[in-house]
């Protein structure tokens, strides 16, 4: 059996893709460098929400903005935004410490529906509004993290602490609708 952190509850979110893939990368960090690191699943989910909204705006409302995603999103988000330890960004502001993205998702969908209905596509302003919605539930992601007495950006943390090289991982999906070869 490979080393792994204990399972973590995602509670009321559609972010199983981030929790599962983050667990894989935590085991990779241990395999590569022997470090036991607990990474923030919600850091990745936060930036995936932002990128989904960016695509939604560029496609003028013709793409999905929802909680779900795939494992390849973690690789993509790590490349762009890096990773942070859970202690630096738990991604939950609720007093009970439990994740619940239902109201946040509903508010985001309503905001984006309003923008689409009014043919309003100012990417910078809308993304700022969405980040405000995300911040009410998840908090704002850190620009820097402190790890064992040293400060890192999320990109530096991914590379220097985790030892994960952004180009070393690819994702693929195999479905029964296409031949496996």
């Amino acid at each position: 059996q490979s080393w792994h952190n204990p399972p973590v509850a995602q509670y009321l979110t559609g972010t199983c893709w981030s929790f599962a893939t983050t667990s894989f990368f935590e085991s990779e960090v241990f395999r590569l460098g022997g470090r036991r690191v607990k990474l923030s699943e919600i850091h990745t989910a936060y930036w995936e929400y932002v990128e989904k909204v960016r695509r939604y705006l560029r496609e003028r409302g013709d793409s999905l903005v929802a909680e779900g995603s795939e494992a390849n999103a973690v690789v993509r988000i790590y490349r762009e935004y890096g990773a942070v330890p859970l202690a630096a960004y738990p991604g939950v502001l609720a007093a009970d410490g439990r994740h619940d993205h239902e109201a946040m998702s509903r508010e985001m969908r309503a905001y984006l529906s309003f923008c689409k209905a009014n043919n309003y596509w100012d990417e910078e302003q809308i993304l700022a509004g969405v980040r405000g919605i995300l911040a009410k539930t998840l908090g704002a992601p850190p620009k820097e993290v402190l790890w064992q007495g040293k400060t890192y950006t999320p990109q530096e943390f991914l590379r220097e602490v985790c030892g994960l090289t952004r180009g070393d991982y690819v994702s693929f999906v195999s479905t029964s609708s296409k031949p496996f070869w």
Side-chain angles (χ1 to χ4, degrees):
Q1 181 176 352
S2 297
W3 176 87
H4 59 86
N5 279 318
V8 179
Q10 72 181 52
Y11 295 107
L12 300 173
T13 73
T15 56
C16 56
W17 55 273
S18 184
F19 280 78
T21 310
T22 299
S23 177
F24 166 76
F25 280 114
E26 291 166 350
S27 295
E28 278 292 277
V29 170
F30 183 79
R31 181 184 68 83
L32 294 169
R35 289 191 169 136
R36 295 174 187 233
V37 176
K38 179 65 196 114
L39 297 171
S40 171
E41 297 88 358
I42 302 301
H43 182 264
T44 306
Y46 177 99
W47 290 113
E48 176 68 348
Y49 284 127
V50 169
E51 290 305 317
K52 283 181 174 189
V53 170
R54 187 184 315 277
R55 184 184 66 232
Y56 178 89
L57 298 173
R58 290 179 179 173
E59 295 179 4
R60 299 298 192 247
D62 287 336
S63 64
L64 180 66
V65 177
E67 292 184 59
S69 196
E70 297 284 339
N72 65 347
V74 177
V75 174
R76 185 172 30 78
I77 295 300
Y78 279 6
R79 280 187 194 129
E80 185 70 24
Y81 297 101
V84 300
L86 180 66
Y89 188 63
V92 62
L93 300 177
D96 65 3
R98 294 179 178 216
H99 300 286
D100 184 347
H101 295 180
E102 186 179 343
M104 178 189 75
S105 294
R106 194 172 40 251
E107 184 178 357
M108 248 190 321
R109 282 192 307 274
Y111 178 55
L112 295 174
S113 292
F114 172 83
C115 293
K116 184 176 181 177
N118 290 283
N119 200 29
Y120 181 69
W121 304 109
D122 185 311
E123 186 173 306
E124 188 176 321
Q125 282 194 333
I126 295 170
L127 284 174
V130 165
R131 290 187 70 182
I133 293 167
L134 292 169
K136 286 192 302 186
T137 301
L138 310 178
K143 294 180 190 303
E144 295 182 329
V145 297
L146 184 64
W147 179 263
Q148 297 181 346
K150 186 174 177 194
T151 302
Y152 299 91
T153 67
Q155 288 288 1
E156 292 167 340
F157 185 82
L158 179 71
R159 184 178 58 253
E160 296 172 28
V161 175
C162 297
L164 299 173
T165 305
R166 297 181 314 185
D168 284 354
Y169 298 90
V170 297
S171 298
F172 62 91
V173 175
S174 179
T175 66
S176 59
S177 65
K178 300 283 183 193
F180 292 118
W181 59 87

